């Protein structure tokens, strides 16, 4: 899988987290990979580990977003937008191998596919304030 495809799969798996209890996530991850028809390989292991790292920092990521998102606390954001923002913030702040510009651009591109018409500009605006 390309990095873009991996990022998209991470987004899809993270998106489930807002709809399930933390204790259910191991089972949700299993369902996710079964639906993908993907055996355990380096990509699936990377996707799972990245999701776990992000989920472990959700409160910290949300606090960073809440500091800059004027009038839009994370509790009011659309789930797709919020998931994309969390993913990008994690990449920008905790992954040295992902340049900030790449993290923002990838989040905006995914917002065009999975968000509303306003999602790309909203995601870009929030993330630009964090840079």
């Amino acid at each position: 899988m390309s990095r873009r495809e991996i990022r998209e799969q991470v987004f899809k798996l993270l998106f489930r987290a807002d709809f399930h209890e933390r204790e259910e996530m191991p089972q949700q991850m299993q369902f996710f990979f079964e639906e993908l028809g993907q055996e355990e390989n380096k990509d699936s292991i990377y996707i799972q580990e990245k999701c776990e790292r992000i989920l472990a920092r959700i409160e910290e990521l949300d606090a960073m977003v809440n500091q800059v998102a004027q009038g839009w606390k994370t509790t009011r954001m659309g789930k797709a937008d919020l998931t994309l923002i969390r993913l990008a913030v994690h990449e920008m702040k905790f992954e040295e191998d992902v340049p900030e510009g790449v993290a923002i651009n990838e989040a905006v591109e995914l917002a065009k596919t999975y968000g509303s018409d306003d999602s790309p500009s909203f995601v870009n605006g929030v993330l630009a304030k964090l840079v």
Side-chain angles (χ1 to χ4, degrees), residues 68-131:
V68 298
Q70 298 171 349
W72 282 96
K73 297 300 178 197
T74 54
T75 54
R76 290 189 58 218
M77 293 179 186
K79 298 295 185 197
D81 296 349
L82 178 57
T83 302
L84 290 168
I85 290 168
R86 286 172 172 165
L87 174 56
V89 171
H90 186 273
E91 289 180 342
M92 292 184 329
K93 301 296 183 182
F94 302 106
E95 295 183 30
E96 294 177 8
D97 64 329
V98 180
E100 291 175 337
V102 170
I104 293 171
N105 184 59
E106 291 293 324
V108 170
E109 289 302 314
L110 286 169
K112 291 176 184 176
T113 302
Y114 293 102
S116 68
D117 291 341
D118 297 328
S119 292
S121 60
F122 177 74
V123 168
N124 186 60
V126 172
L127 295 174
K129 290 180 183 179
L130 280 163
V131 176

Side-chain angles (χ1 to χ4, degrees), residues 8-124:
E8 184 172 6
Q9 297 309 317
V10 170
F11 161 74
K12 289 178 180 179
L13 187 52
L14 282 175
F15 186 76
R16 291 181 180 215
D18 277 336
F19 299 98
H20 299 280
E21 298 296 324
R22 179 77 62 150
E23 303 81 38
E24 296 174 10
M25 283 311 293
Q27 186 178 26
Q28 286 301 314
M29 287 184 184
Q30 180 182 352
F31 291 154
F32 178 80
F33 291 113
E34 286 174 6
E35 288 171 8
L36 271 182
Q38 186 154 356
E39 300 173 15
E40 188 169 302
N41 60 35
K42 67 177 186 157
D43 289 340
S44 63
I45 292 168
Y46 178 82
I47 291 166
Q48 182 173 345
E49 289 175 350
K50 185 168 182 168
C51 284
E52 289 170 352
R53 287 192 305 271
I54 293 170
L55 290 171
R57 289 195 158 130
I58 288 288
E59 291 83 17
E60 185 179 358
L61 298 171
D62 286 358
M64 288 182 210
V65 172
N66 283 331
Q67 287 179 341
V68 298
Q70 298 171 349
W72 282 96
K73 297 300 178 197
T74 54
T75 54
R76 290 189 58 218
M77 293 179 186
K79 298 295 185 197
D81 296 349
L82 178 57
T83 302
L84 290 168
I85 290 168
R86 286 172 172 165
L87 174 56
V89 171
H90 186 273
E91 289 180 342
M92 292 184 329
K93 301 296 183 182
F94 302 106
E95 295 183 30
E96 294 177 8
D97 64 329
V98 180
E100 291 175 337
V102 170
I104 293 171
N105 184 59
E106 291 293 324
V108 170
E109 289 302 314
L110 286 169
K112 291 176 184 176
T113 302
Y114 293 102
S116 68
D117 291 341
D118 297 328
S119 292
S121 60
F122 177 74
V123 168
N124 186 60

